[in-house]
C-alpha cells in the first residue's frame, strides 16, 4: 500500500478499487489529505528556512553572540522540522489504519469462504486420483471443509455432469498419512471443436482446489499437470477465487455478492431510490411470480432457450436442469415471472449454506422496457431473506460491463475470479470466451436461427463449452 501516493490523489485510489470507498471513508481520507498537504507545505518552508540559516553560520563564526543566536534559531527550526515530520508520519499511519479498517469492513460483507486466510501446511504430501467423485474419502472431506467448500464441490454435482453430458470426472486428493488435507475436482472434456481439456469445475463459476492451506492449493494445481500425459489433454483450467498463485491466469471476471439483512423492510430501506423506482415501474404491469421446482421447468426453459438464442449462445438441454432440480442434496429451484399468464422472466436458483446463487437467468427482450428483470430480482431477494439466507450471489460478470453495473446497483460487492492455466506458457487466454473476436461471427449467425432448432443443435455443442 503506497500511502504517500494515496494521499496525493484519494479520488484516483478510490476509483482504482473494485469497490470504491464508502462515502464516509472517502470523506475521512480527504480530510487526512488536507492535513497532509498542509504539513507538507509547512515542512517545505521550514526546511528552506533551515537551509538559509545554515548558510549564515560561516559569516557569523567570528561573532560569538551572533553565532549563539543562530544556534538557538537552528535548534528551534530543527525541532519544528522533526515535529512536522512526525505529524506527517502519524497522518500516514492513520491513513493506513483507515484503509485497513475499511477493507476489513468490506470483508464482513462477504461470505467467509471468500475472505478466510489460508494457513501454510509445510509437510510432505502423497497424491491419489479418485475415479469416483462419490468416493467416501472425498464426500467426508467436503463435509469437513463446509466453511470453505462451494456447492460445486459436492459429489452430486460431478455425478450430474457425468450423467447429463457424458464427461468423466476425477478427484485429485492430497494426503498426509492417509488423512485428506486437500482435493481438486476436475471434469475431463473432449471434442473435435474445443479440444481436450480438464476444468475445475466446468459449467459453473466456482470449484478449484478445496483446502485450508495455501501451499496445498498450489501443489494441487501443479500436480494436475500430470493429466496432460495420463489423459492426453491440451489444456487445464482451474477456477478459483484464490489470488496470487504462480500460474498464468485470466482474471477479468468477478462475482457480485450482496449481504442480506434479516428483514425485507430493511432491504427496501437500503436500496437506492433509483432501484426502487425501476422496480415500482414494473408493478404497473401487474406481474406475478412463482417459486418452485420441476413443475415450472417448461415455463423456465421456454424463456431461457429464447433468450440464449437472442444472445447467440447455444442452450443447455432441459434434461440438465431437470437433473439438477431432482438432486435432493441440492437446494435447486426455479423462479418464473409472468405477465398476463405468460412467462417472461426466469431464474435458476441454487442454495448452499448461507448463500443463494443464481447461476442462470433470462428475460425476454420484448419486456425489457417494462423493467421485468428488475422486478424479478427484487422478488428473489425477498425470497432469499424469507428462506433465511445471509447472502445473495448475482453471478459472474466482466468488471464494468453492463451486467456488472446492473448487479452493483443492488449493493453487491465484487469477488475476483482467478482462472489458472498451469500448462500454459506466458499469458493465458480463453479461446472459447464469447468475448473472443473470432467467435463474433458465429454468435451473429446463431442469433438468426429459429429457437426450436437451437434447442436441438445447441445441447450437443454447449456440453463441450465449460
Amino acid at each position: 500500500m503506497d500511502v504517500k501516493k494515496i494521499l496525493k490523489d484519494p479520488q484516483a485510489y478510490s476509483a482504482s478499487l473494485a469497490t470504491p470507498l464508502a462515502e464516509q471513508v472517502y470523506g475521512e481520507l480527504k480530510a487526512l489529505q488536507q492535513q497532509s498537504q498542509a504539513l507538507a507545505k509547512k515542512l517545505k518552508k521550514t526546511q528552506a528556512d533551515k537551509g538559509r540559516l545554515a548558510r549564515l553560520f560561516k559569516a557569523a563564526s567570528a561573532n560569538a553572540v551572533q553565532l549563539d543566536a543562530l544556534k538557538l534559531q537552528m535548534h528551534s527550526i530543527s525541532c519544528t522540522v522533526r515535529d512536522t515530520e512526525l505529524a506527517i508520519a502519524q497522518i500516514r499511519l492513520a491513513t493506513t489504519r483507515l484503509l485497513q479498517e475499511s477493507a476489513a469492513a468490506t470483508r464482513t460483507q462477504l461470505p467467509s469462504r471468500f475472505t478466510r486466510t489460508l494457513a501454510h501446511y509445510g509437510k510432505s504430501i502423497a497424491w491419489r486420483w479418485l475415479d469416483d467423485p462419490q468416493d467416501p474419502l472425498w464426500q467426508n472431506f467436503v463435509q469437513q471443509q463446509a466453511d470453505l467448500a462451494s456447492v460445486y464441490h459436492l459429489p452430486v454435482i460431478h455425478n450430474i455432469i457425468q450423467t447429463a453430458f457424458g464427461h468423466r470426472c476425477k478427484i485429485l486428493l492430497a494426503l498426509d498419512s492417509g488423512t485428506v488435507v486437500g482435493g481438486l475436482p476436475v471434469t475431463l472434456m473432449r471434442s473435435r471443436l474445443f479440444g481436450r481439456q480438464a476444468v475445475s469445475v466446468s459449467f459453473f463459476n466456482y470449484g478449484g482446489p478445496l483446502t485450508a492451506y495455501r501451499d496445498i492449493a498450489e501443489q494441487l494445481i501443479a500436480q494436475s499437470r500430470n493429466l496432460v500425459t495420463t489423459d492426453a489433454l491440451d489444456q487445464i483450467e482451474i477456477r478459483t477465487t484464490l489470488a496470487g498463485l504462480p500460474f498464468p491466469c485470466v482474471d477479468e471476471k468477478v462475482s457480485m455478492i450482496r449481504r442480506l439483512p434479516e428483514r425485507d423492510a430493511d432491504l427496501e430501506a437500503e436500496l437506492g431510490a433509483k432501484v426502487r423506482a425501476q422496480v415500482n415501474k414494473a408493478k404497473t404491469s401487474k406481474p406475478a411470480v412463482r417459486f418452485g421446482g420441476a413443475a415450472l421447468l417448461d415455463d423456465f426453459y421456454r424463456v431461457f432457450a429464447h433468450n440464449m438464442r437472442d444472445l447467440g449462445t447455444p442452450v443447455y438441454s432441459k434434461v440438465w436442469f431437470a437433473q439438477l432440480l431432482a438432486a435432493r442434496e441440492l437446494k435447486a429451484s426455479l423462479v418464473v415471472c409472468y405477465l398476463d399468464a405468460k412467462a417472461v422472466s426466469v431464474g435458476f436458483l441454487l442454495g448452499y449454506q448461507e448463500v443463494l446463487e443464481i447461476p442462470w437467468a433470462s428475460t425476454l427482450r420484448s419486456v425489457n422496457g417494462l423493467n421485468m428483470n428488475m422486478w424479478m430480482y427484487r422478488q428473489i431477494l425477498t425470497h432469499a431473506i424469507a428462506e433465511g439466507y445471509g447472502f445473495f450471489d448475482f453471478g459472474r460478470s466482466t468488471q464494468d460491463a453492463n451486467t456488472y453495473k446492473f448487479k452493483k446497483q443492488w449493493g453487491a460487492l465484487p469477488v475476483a475470479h482467478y482462472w489458472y492455466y498451469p500448462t500454459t506458457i506466458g499469458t493465458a487466454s480463453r479461446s472459447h470466451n464469447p468475448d473472443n473476436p473470432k467467435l463474433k461471427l458465429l454468435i451473429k449467425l446463431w442469433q438468426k436461427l429459429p429457437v426450436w432448432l437451437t434447442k436441438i443443435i445447441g445441447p450437443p455443442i454447449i456440453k463441450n463449452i465449460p
Side-chain angles (χ1 to χ4, degrees), residues 58-74:
K58 185 175 182 181
S61 59
N63 188 326
V65 175
Q66 188 177 8
L67 188 61
D68 288 341
L70 287 174
K71 289 180 179 179
L72 287 174
Q73 292 181 54
M74 180 62 76

Side-chain angles (χ1 to χ4, degrees), residues 214-452:
R214 186 178 181 87
D215 54 333
I216 298 297
E218 181 177 329
Q219 291 177 58
L220 282 165
I221 297 177
Q223 192 71 18
S224 72
R225 293 187 181 119
N226 292 337
L227 289 170
V228 172
T229 301
T230 61
D231 290 84
L233 300 182
D234 301 316
Q235 177 177 273
I236 297 174
E237 178 179 274
I238 307 298
R239 302 177 178 182
T240 179
T241 57
L242 184 60
L245 297 181
F247 308 101
C249 81
V250 171
D251 60 357
E252 79 272 13
K253 302 292 185 179
V254 297
S255 279
M256 299 298 288
I257 301 175
R258 192 199 198 284
R259 187 180 186 92
L260 299 174
E262 294 183 358
R263 302 186 310 152
D264 191 65
D266 294 332
L267 174 63
E268 183 71 9
E270 292 174 8
L271 295 176
K274 183 178 179 181
V275 170
R276 292 196 296 269
Q278 292 180 76
V279 173
N280 289 335
K281 178 182 177 181
K283 291 180 180 179
T284 62
S285 301
K286 298 182 180 180
V289 63
R290 291 178 63 190
F291 290 89
L296 298 176
L297 183 54
D298 286 344
D299 286 346
F300 165 84
Y301 194 70
R302 189 178 303 112
V303 175
F304 183 75
H306 198 288
N307 187 59
M308 290 299 101
R309 190 285 308 270
D310 289 346
L311 293 174
T313 302
V315 67
Y316 291 107
S317 70
K318 190 187 294 186
V319 172
W320 164 245
F321 296 112
Q323 291 192 10
L324 291 171
L325 289 168
R328 293 183 177 181
E329 301 93 327
L330 302 178
K331 293 181 180 179
S333 62
L334 300 173
V335 54
V336 181
C337 297
Y338 300 85
L339 285 178
D340 298 325
K342 176 186 176 182
V344 296
S345 194
V346 300
F348 191 100
L349 305 175
L350 276 177
Y352 185 67
Q353 297 178 352
E354 59 184 350
V355 181
L356 181 65
E357 179 184 354
I358 184 165
W360 298 286
S362 289
T363 296
L364 297 180
R365 290 186 175 182
S366 59
V367 299
N368 281 347
L370 302 179
N371 287 356
M372 280 302 300
N373 200 37
M374 293 292 295
W375 191 81
M376 179 181 72
Y377 274 90
R378 185 65 183 89
Q379 308 317 302
I380 293 172
L381 293 176
T382 296
H383 173 75
I385 292 172
E387 292 294 311
Y389 289 102
F391 299 89
F392 182 72
D393 188 335
F394 286 81
R396 189 176 79 233
S397 298
T398 300
Q399 190 157 321
D400 294 327
N402 288 336
T403 54
Y404 172 91
K405 295 173 182 176
F406 171 84
K407 298 164 185 178
K408 184 179 179 181
Q409 69 182 332
W410 292 96
L413 298 176
V415 172
H417 287 265
Y418 300 92
W419 290 13
Y420 293 103
Y421 298 83
T423 59
T424 300
I425 299 175
T427 303
S429 64
R430 298 174 59 224
S431 60
H432 55 269
N433 190 324
D435 296 328
N436 188 325
K438 295 180 180 179
L439 297 181
K440 296 288 187 181
L441 178 59
L442 292 177
I443 291 173
K444 290 181 178 180
L445 292 174
W446 193 271
Q447 290 171 328
K448 297 181 182 298
L449 297 177
V451 176
W452 67 265

Side-chain angles (χ1 to χ4, degrees), residues 186-206:
V186 296
T187 303
L188 302 175
M189 309 177 69
R190 299 172 182 270
S191 75
R192 293 181 178 179
L193 184 60
F194 300 104
R196 298 164 297 181
Q197 56 188 314
V199 183
S200 178
V201 169
S202 55
F203 311 112
F204 296 106
N205 297 333
Y206 307 108

